[in-house]
Amino acid sequence: MPFDTPVAPAPAAVRLPLSVAQRDIWTAHALDPTGVKYNVAECREIIGPVDPELMAAAWRRLVEEADFLRIRGFEDDGEQVRQIVDPDAGTRRLPFTDVSAADDPEAEAWRLIDGLIGTPSTWPAARRSAAR
């Protein structure tokens, strides 16, 4: 009688203590839960053609290497807060917005960024965007 090939279980999420800076932000967020105080943004001009597939591959590589981009949430047991970090990148992707056809591409990019930065964050590293 043939048996199905065993399937390896998916790696479990890692639970890590917060760094001192993360703990400070956690505390500040508890005092001001608007979720916008620590939002930051930056806009860079890329001169020349942009390959969205190459940008997506670079983003995926960054997510694979940087734990903070894989934080799924937090656990607070009353004594210590731990971040829950997914073991792999999963389906996280970087949205890509082409603003090159706008009358003023830089102003359009900043308009988009201003909209994102004013939106409350419900969990860390939740909003990222690339614009051309």
Side-chain angles (χ1 to χ4, degrees):
M1 172 188 293
F3 293 98
D4 290 336
T5 305
V7 177
V14 177
R15 288 162 173 74
L16 301 172
L18 299 182
S19 69
V20 172
Q22 287 172 316
R23 198 171 47 244
D24 290 348
I25 292 170
W26 176 269
T27 302
H29 184 73
L31 297 172
D32 177 18
T34 61
V36 297
K37 186 171 186 162
Y38 289 96
N39 288 355
V40 295
E42 185 170 329
C43 184
R44 294 288 179 169
E45 180 179 9
I46 299 174
I47 299 172
V50 175
D51 180 344
E53 289 180 23
L54 186 58
M55 289 287 280
W59 172 253
R60 179 147 184 96
R61 178 75 181 264
L62 180 62
V63 171
E64 289 169 352
E65 293 180 4
D67 290 349
F68 84 94
L69 292 174
R70 295 191 319 276
I71 295 173
R72 180 182 355 155
F74 297 98
E75 288 181 347
D76 183 356
D77 64 10
E79 291 184 26
Q80 186 173 25
V81 178
R82 294 187 178 273
Q83 55 190 313
I84 303 170
V85 181
D86 285 331
D88 61 42
T91 59
R92 289 170 176 87
R93 65 178 195 80
L94 180 68
F96 185 81
T97 305
D98 185 350
V99 296
S100 63
D103 290 337
D104 184 348
E106 183 178 357
E108 180 63 11
W110 279 112
R111 186 190 68 72
L112 292 169
I113 288 171
D114 288 343
L116 288 171
I117 204 163
T119 305
S121 176
T122 57
W123 62 293
R127 290 185 321 277
R128 301 156 204 97
S129 182
R132 171 170 46 184

